[in-house]
Amino acid sequence: MEKDNGLVNKNVVKEWLLWGFFWAVLAPLWGILLSLTFNYPTYLSGEFIHFGRLRPLHVNGVIFGVFSTLFLGLIQYMVPKLTGARMEREAWSRAALWIWNVSLLAGFGGILLGYNKGLEADELPALAASGLVASLLIVTWQVLGAIARRKEEKIYVALWYTIAALVWTDLNMVFGNLVLPHVMPGVSNAALHGLYIHYVVGLWITPGGLAIIYFFLPAAAKAPLYSHKLSLIGFWSLAFFYPFVGIHHYLLSPIPAWTQTIAIVASMMLIIPVWTVVANFFGTLKGGKWGAFQTDFTVKLLIFGAAMYFIGSTQGSVEALRGLQVPTHFTDFVIAHSHATVFGGYVIFVLAACYYVWPRIAGGGFDARLAQWSSWMIMAGISSMIGILIIQGLVQGTALAAGAEFVDTVVAMKPYWFIRTITGITMDIGIALVGINLYLSGRKAAAARGAR
Amino acid sequence: MKRAKTIALVAGFGFFFLALLVQGILPYLLKPAAGISSREVTRTVRTPLGDLAEVKAEAAPVTDGGEKRGRAIYLREGCWYCHSQYTRPAAGEERRWGPVSEAGEYAHDLPHLFGTRRIGPDLLRVGGKYGDDWHTAHFFDPRAVVPDSVMPRFTWFFRTEGGRQVLNDEGRAVTAYVQSLGMQKGKWRDAFPYQNVRSGSASPEAAKSAERGKQVYSRRCAGCHGEKGDGKGTSPKDVLFTIAQPRDFTSGVFKFRLTPTGSVPLDSDLYRTITAGIRGTAMPPWFNLSEDDRWDVIHYIKTFSPDFSEYPPEAPIVVPQPPKPSPELVARGRRVFDEMKCWECHGREGRGDGPKSDTLEDDFGNRIPPANFTRGIFKSGPRAEDIFRTFMTGLSGTPMPSFADSFASPDDGWALTYYVLSLSADGGDQP
């Protein structure tokens, strides 16, 4: 897998990743700006820039900007390597890239101007979202085409996840944009929206992120995958249970109780894919490969991300239980879960993969000291953020359940929110340093090539 | 290729649609009674006899253009990232925000606005909790009203008029929308036990409670009533209050009392008022404050006027147990209303448009229209006892006189009470 087989269009991958880093610095920055308003509520008071308009930019920015852009870029690298075939219609890669990113820019502009559909994680105006769908369809076509021309009969598990993620998300984006905002008002709309949200995180980010780690962990650690049977269990249990969990966003609501119960059971069952998948990753490093955790930044971040994924997903399963949901839902406890999984897990997976891919496509070694610093900033930032969010969620939730006056509990949150902002800043600087480090190493290599 | 196709078809298409069907569509298709497309809601209504009853009713679609526009603005401004719109049968939410959500209430919501995070309180039932003046002041500067708030300012909902801020079209639309929240359940708030308390238990007269009360006051009341208690807080300076000005506590004038006109109120009167708020005005209800906080702040506001220490409250009237309402009682009430000339101010139909209504002013020189009983929003409280008390002791500082000496029998008082209440009877779906 490691050998350069000349099938990857390096320039396209490079452009995708650069755009990805653009979002990777910007979207968390929006989060920092938002978080600051909890301590300085008036500093963002413009008609087009205030909490209510900026929050969807942060959430969609992380999902569709940071994670998705980097993931789509990495697909362009990973698929030729895995299939032994060039991407189908390679020229379209760049079209997909520009459609994707311009749509995002336009969509975010639209939200700031007030075109907000009113459905969480589905806010992008229909026109912008159509751009995203078009881009996804192109990539799906390219991937399936490459697979059809593949050299080896067997399909590696990373490809399974990639195929499934793309098919699911093509469907889901169409569903979320064309169907959801227009049919079945009221409680049914909430139920469908719960499904949509969890299709985004469960059927796009999760399989996408797992594809990345399944590919890059063995590649970077130079070790074979621990168990293909485990990956089979992991994939099919995820594919079966994940679609059913969406309604756990709206427990104890007027959605019929049996529907809620199915969602809770499915949420608990997700422990199966999570634990098997994580066992597989840690197993891969057994037999003397743990040294790579010290020396290789891809492995370091992937394993750290796997731990976060494990913690965050397990938290997600148990917080679906009604007993824990009562005090913790609606609080920062849930925000802890989303940051642990989406950022701590999947975004870190794709960042880790960049450490692997970038030197191979842009050449040159990056600065190890800087990489060490940035890794630690990211890891320390996200871990302490999750810690603080869990604590504050429990504090506020139990206070409210005990009958405290609402605004008093808001006051109690302010010191925590302040620390949270600092953890966010630490994280974001860490990410920016990763980007700068890689970018400079690429420039240096290009200059060296030019000099020769 | 076979493997890839299996993955794409079974996992990709199959499981996606299976879940959509089971979790999204099936519940919708099931019998309305068991499913989630039911439009039925339990609604609290005022009967033609003047009391409250619960009925089953069909959820009404939104027809008011303002509310529709207001909802669109609510989406645009992202209010829903900070405010959920569903209350659960758990964690004391019923006590905090009112009755648990019913499926039927949402029948016309598209997109739904359940929400997943509460930076601020749930808003499902916020309609009628505050008067429009409160929302006006709050949108302009949440921290003027609630100093600890983290809600953004919405200054573009305003235009300037005579040096003060008033809501523009957008601001009025959002306010109309916010005030409509929870109204599918009709007059549930009139029957909400936590807000409509009878009166408090005796207060602990500890000296330190006025000290603590000062803190409560500056965190909750000063924005309207002013640090000095003179009614000149920042909110009424910035924003035009159209319904009633925040009270100047240094005047020692209080409207809602069991004590006779001219006397200061009992502590328990203040406790009742502060707990329930003054409906329709900017004065919020404080039933979510701890009892201690409420008592402490009462002790503190009493320090603004020397009347409390110099002239102890006079003997309160006794409000007997109200009888059951009947058609005869209501008919008799109508005669009493005529005989006592309530209509001179309140109008023949109780619409607040009597012959004297144009000229009335309160003691502070503000225009004060007589209450319009048909709106069903009562400053003095929604219970029969509240109405009875109001015309027995009058509303000090306003032209509304005391009629304590005019009644031949207490039954005439109850007759008048139920008549006044019956004027806001809900048309249509009565039991």
Side-chain angles (χ1 to χ4, degrees):
Chain A
M1 260 187 265
E2 298 87 342
K3 266 195 260 97
D4 186 354
N5 55 10
L7 299 171
V8 175
N9 183 338
K10 293 184 179 173
N11 283 332
V12 164
V13 178
K14 227 192 279 181
E15 284 166 35
W16 272 103
L17 297 191
L18 285 176
W19 268 104
F21 269 100
F22 167 72
W23 296 119
V25 175
L26 199 58
L29 183 66
W30 286 330
I32 294 167
L33 295 182
L34 287 167
S35 175
L36 272 173
T37 63
F38 295 144
N39 292 97
Y40 307 97
T42 36
Y43 90 97
L44 272 189
S45 293
E47 178 168 358
F48 302 106
I49 298 190
H50 60 77
F51 187 93
R53 297 211 183 182
L54 211 51
R55 188 189 192 265
L57 265 59
H58 172 59
V59 173
N60 288 280
V62 170
I63 297 175
F64 296 110
V66 187
F67 174 79
S68 305
T69 312
L70 287 174
F71 173 55
L72 289 169
L74 292 167
I75 284 182
Q76 303 279 343
Y77 179 86
M78 193 166 70
V79 169
K81 296 267 172 188
L82 282 172
T83 54
R86 297 189 84 93
M87 292 297 271
E88 181 82 9
R89 305 277 160 112
E90 214 172 80
W92 290 14
S93 299
R94 189 164 277 124
L97 163 74
W98 284 100
I99 299 176
W100 182 265
N101 288 293
V102 170
S103 302
L104 280 182
L105 284 174
F108 292 153
I111 293 177
L112 288 182
L113 290 177
Y115 298 95
N116 185 324
K117 295 213 287 292
L119 291 159
E120 202 171 352
D122 190 20
E123 289 95 342
L124 290 167
L127 203 64
S130 313
L132 299 189
V133 173
S135 182
L136 278 176
L137 285 174
I138 296 177
V139 176
T140 312
W141 183 250
Q142 289 188 299
V143 169
L144 292 179
I147 289 174
R149 290 184 280 102
R150 73 183 180 279
K151 295 278 166 351
E152 235 181 294
E153 177 54 23
K154 255 181 89 171
I155 300 183
Y156 181 60
V157 59
L159 269 186
W160 300 17
Y161 279 107
T162 309
I163 300 170
L166 286 168
V167 172
W168 278 324
T169 307
D170 292 334
L171 293 173
N172 193 35
M173 294 292 281
V174 172
F175 165 70
N177 284 288
L178 297 184
V179 184
L180 187 56
H182 307 292
V183 296
M184 304 220 274
V187 174
S188 316
N189 199 244
L192 288 179
H193 180 218
L195 292 177
Y196 166 85
I197 299 186
H198 245 77
Y199 284 178
V200 173
V201 291
L203 302 183
W204 173 240
I205 302 183
T206 301
L210 293 181
I212 295 297
I213 181 168
Y214 267 118
F215 179 84
F216 288 99
L217 186 64
K222 305 191 179 59
L225 186 66
Y226 175 60
S227 156
H228 282 277
K229 195 170 281 152
L230 273 185
S231 59
L232 207 80
I233 300 176
F235 177 83
W236 286 106
S237 54
L238 178 134
F240 185 70
F241 292 120
Y242 229 134
F244 285 89
V245 304
I247 306 230
H248 70 200
H249 288 261
Y250 303 118
L251 293 187
L252 296 163
S253 74
I255 294 175
W258 62 267
T259 334
Q260 299 182 25
T261 305
I262 293 181
I264 297 171
V265 173
S267 303
M268 290 310 289
M269 297 309 274
L270 278 184
I271 287 184
I272 300 174
V274 171
W275 291 26
T276 48
V277 159
V278 171
N280 216 350
F281 298 147
F282 286 98
T284 302
L285 290 196
K286 252 177 39 179
K289 294 293 180 185
W290 273 100
F293 181 74
Q294 294 291 333
T295 52
D296 185 285
F297 289 100
T298 306
V299 176
K300 189 199 289 288
L301 286 177
L302 284 176
I303 286 298
F304 174 80
M308 276 288 156
Y309 165 72
F310 177 79
I311 295 169
S313 302
T314 308
Q315 184 201 357
S317 290
V318 293
E319 83 191 356
L321 296 172
R322 287 191 178 94
L324 188 60
Q325 173 123 152
V326 166
T328 59
H329 194 55
F330 296 119
T331 71
D332 278 328
F333 191 83
V334 180
I335 309 294
H337 161 67
S338 42
H339 283 81
T341 48
V342 175
F343 191 90
Y346 310 115
V347 169
I348 287 191
F349 289 167
V350 286
L351 288 178
C354 292
Y355 269 125
Y356 181 91
V357 171
W358 191 266
R360 285 171 173 77
I361 57 171
F366 48 80
D367 182 332
R369 239 167 64 100
L370 195 56
Q372 190 74 316
W373 269 98
S374 51
S375 302
W376 277 108
M377 288 179 90
I378 295 176
M379 296 195 296
I382 185 71
S383 319
S384 39
M385 177 184 294
I386 288 157
I388 200 100
L389 286 171
I390 287 183
I391 295 171
Q392 71 183 108
L394 288 172
V395 170
Q396 186 177 30
T398 47
L400 284 172
E405 195 273 333
F406 192 89
V407 178
D408 284 347
T409 70
V410 173
V411 174
M413 290 301 103
K414 289 185 180 179
Y416 296 97
W417 274 328
F418 190 76
I419 302 174
R420 196 270 283 262
T421 307
I422 294 174
T423 62
I425 294 175
T426 313
M427 236 171 74
D428 201 22
I429 294 180
I431 303 171
L433 289 180
V434 176
I436 293 172
N437 196 1
L438 291 179
Y439 182 72
L440 289 183
S441 73
R443 282 259 305 254
K444 238 195 271 148
R449 274 199 301 276
R452 251 189 279 129
Chain B
M1 193 62 207
K2 246 182 68 209
R3 262 282 194 46
K5 266 192 199 136
T6 324
I7 294 166
L9 290 179
V10 178
F13 280 87
F15 292 162
F16 182 96
F17 283 111
L18 183 66
L20 200 62
L21 186 74
V22 173
Q23 294 290 82
I25 318 248
L26 213 58
Y28 182 78
L29 294 179
L30 290 183
K31 265 208 336 277
I36 54 188
S37 60
S38 159
R39 300 195 165 172
E40 193 177 81
V41 289
T42 32
R43 184 174 293 165
T44 306
V45 295
R46 185 70 72 182
T47 70
L49 297 184
D51 57 355
L52 294 170
E54 270 196 359
V55 297
K56 296 278 181 205
E58 170 103 345
V62 186
T63 47
D64 183 305
E67 282 170 27
K68 267 193 195 146
R69 181 164 178 208
R71 192 174 199 270
I73 297 170
Y74 189 90
L75 294 186
R76 179 188 86 190
E77 300 296 355
C79 312
W80 47 283
Y81 295 113
C82 293
H83 294 291
S84 61
Q85 285 191 21
Y86 83 88
T87 55
R88 308 173 296 171
E93 293 183 5
E94 249 171 299
R95 182 186 179 115
R96 194 183 295 281
W97 290 310
V100 170
S101 306
E102 281 180 79
E105 290 181 83
Y106 300 95
H108 304 284
D109 274 10
L110 188 69
H112 81 98
L113 289 173
F114 276 28
T116 53
R117 176 77 177 94
R118 288 176 181 154
I119 306 279
D122 187 271
L123 295 186
L124 180 67
R125 303 256 177 268
V126 83
K129 178 175 178 183
Y130 304 103
D132 287 0
D133 280 353
W134 187 88
H135 291 293
T136 311
H138 189 244
F139 285 139
F140 183 69
D141 186 359
R143 274 151 299 284
V145 196
V146 185
D148 298 312
S149 179
V150 297
M151 175 158 146
R153 297 181 67 175
F154 292 94
T155 44
W156 49 98
F157 290 173
F158 291 84
R159 61 189 163 80
T160 317
E161 199 177 279
R164 297 236 173 102
Q165 302 292 325
V166 294
L167 291 173
N168 60 18
D169 286 353
E170 287 203 334
R172 279 206 301 276
V174 186
T175 307
Y177 170 65
V178 168
Q179 293 289 34
S180 76
L181 290 170
M183 290 305 151
Q184 298 284 10
K185 292 196 66 75
K187 300 195 164 119
W188 70 272
R189 194 174 284 280
D190 286 358
F192 190 41
Y194 306 109
Q195 182 169 353
N196 304 307
V197 290
R198 257 153 237 280
S199 59
S201 45
S203 68
E205 280 280 2
K208 76 161 200 233
S209 57
E211 219 14 73
R212 277 204 64 239
K214 185 173 180 178
Q215 292 161 24
V216 178
Y217 184 85
S218 45
R219 278 187 58 207
R220 320 265 182 186
C221 323
C224 289
H225 293 288
E227 281 299 341
K228 299 204 192 75
D230 53 6
K232 296 198 174 70
T234 25
S235 279
K237 270 194 213 124
D238 290 342
V239 180
L240 185 70
F241 278 45
T242 53
I243 300 158
Q245 299 308 309
R247 185 64 45 77
D248 171 359
F249 293 136
T250 62
S251 69
V253 172
F254 290 87
K255 290 182 180 174
F256 310 106
R257 312 162 329 276
L258 283 167
T259 56
T261 314
S263 163
V264 294
L266 304 174
D267 288 358
S268 58
D269 285 328
L270 291 172
Y271 185 87
R272 185 187 55 240
T273 308
I274 288 170
T275 303
I278 305 180
R279 293 284 290 281
T281 76
M283 170 68 188
W286 296 102
F287 57 92
N288 277 150
L289 274 193
S290 73
E291 281 193 34
D292 280 352
D293 279 2
R294 278 178 264 171
W295 284 121
D296 292 344
V297 78
I298 287 170
H299 290 310
Y300 183 64
I301 57 179
K302 281 168 67 181
T303 63
F304 287 123
S305 162
D307 289 6
F308 281 100
S309 48
E310 283 169 21
Y311 314 100
E314 291 169 37
I317 62 159
V318 178
V319 179
Q321 196 60 32
K324 280 243 157 306
S326 64
E328 295 75 46
L329 213 53
V330 172
R332 183 160 146 203
R334 155 133 234 158
R335 287 197 300 278
V336 179
F337 189 82
D338 282 346
E339 284 158 17
M340 291 198 169
K341 304 212 162 89
C342 306
W343 51 267
E344 283 187 350
C345 295
H346 292 287
R348 291 276 174 199
E349 307 297 324
R351 293 185 192 283
D353 53 1
K356 285 191 183 167
S357 62
D358 295 338
T359 56
L360 302 177
E361 275 186 6
D362 68 10
D363 287 8
F364 306 96
N366 299 315
R367 280 268 304 113
I368 185 159
N372 174 353
F373 300 132
T374 61
R375 290 172 62 222
I377 298 172
F378 298 103
K379 282 185 172 184
S380 33
R383 298 168 311 147
E385 294 93 316
D386 296 321
I387 304 298
F388 186 94
R389 181 191 69 237
T390 295
F391 57 73
M392 284 302 185
T393 64
L395 299 178
S396 294
T398 81
M400 172 66 200
S402 155
F403 291 87
D405 307 326
S406 323
F407 287 96
S409 80
D411 272 4
D412 277 352
W414 290 118
L416 185 57
T417 298
Y418 282 117
Y419 174 66
V420 166
L421 286 172
S422 73
L423 291 169
S424 58
D426 293 274
D429 28 49
Q430 242 107 95

